[in-house]
Amino acid sequence: IAMCRPVLCMNVMYHLFLVTRMVHQTEGDSRQDGPQFFNDDYTNTRAVLLSVGCVALMEAVALKKVGIFYFRLLTSSDGDIARMRRMRRTQGGTAQRAVVVAMFVLICVPVLARYLCMADVDLGDVCVARR
């Protein structure tokens, strides 16, 4: 468990590196014309960038929450820790479930929509960029 925070931090940095690398490579050498990243040719790259960006954001939020909680544990007395354990056992975990559902939606829905568009399923305006 002690390695979770450093690994999560490295994961956030790696995903941010991927995002900056994707944007840098799609800009090209012609800086006078503006970034090519917003052309219609780069719709796949923008979808990947959005997905990786959402993953990095959710990882950073989780890292922040874990850091705050860990600091609270270090500064708490034994009585406060016992009270937090009792509260934790009585909670239904609604907030944690909401975070997991949000992460699932942010990561999986764009990928699923892309595969459905590639399979020529009529999704209305979702597949307009492909045409």
Side-chain angles (χ1 to χ4, degrees):
I1 292 182
M3 287 299 296
C4 291
R5 288 187 320 157
V7 168
L8 185 59
C9 184
M10 287 189 311
N11 219 14
V12 169
M13 289 189 288
Y14 176 69
H15 283 126
L16 289 176
F17 169 76
L18 286 177
V19 167
T20 57
R21 191 84 170 137
M22 278 190 281
V23 171
H24 178 71
Q25 285 203 336
T26 55
E27 281 182 348
D29 293 330
S30 59
R31 302 222 188 262
Q32 66 270 16
D33 296 336
Q36 299 173 359
F37 182 72
F38 297 105
N39 291 345
D40 288 338
D41 299 334
Y42 291 98
T43 55
N44 292 339
T45 307
R46 283 195 303 267
V48 170
L49 180 69
L50 179 64
S51 297
V52 173
C54 288
V55 168
L57 179 68
M58 295 301 278
E59 288 172 344
V61 167
L63 186 63
K64 182 189 107 172
K65 290 185 92 161
V66 167
I68 291 171
F69 182 73
Y70 187 69
F71 180 72
R72 280 182 55 198
L73 281 178
L74 288 176
T75 59
S76 298
S77 65
D78 290 337
D80 288 339
I81 292 175
R83 183 180 55 80
M84 282 191 277
R85 283 184 183 144
R86 281 194 306 274
M87 281 181 21
R88 179 72 179 149
R89 289 182 186 135
T90 60
Q91 288 179 351
T94 307
Q96 290 83 4
R97 288 187 184 117
V99 168
V100 169
V101 168
M103 286 176 56
F104 176 79
V105 168
L106 287 173
I107 294 169
C108 294
V109 168
V111 174
L112 179 66
R114 180 68 185 157
Y115 283 125
L116 289 176
C117 288
M118 287 171 56
D120 291 331
V121 175
D122 186 25
L123 296 176
D125 292 338
V126 175
C127 298
V128 170
R130 185 170 177 257
R131 294 178 192 158

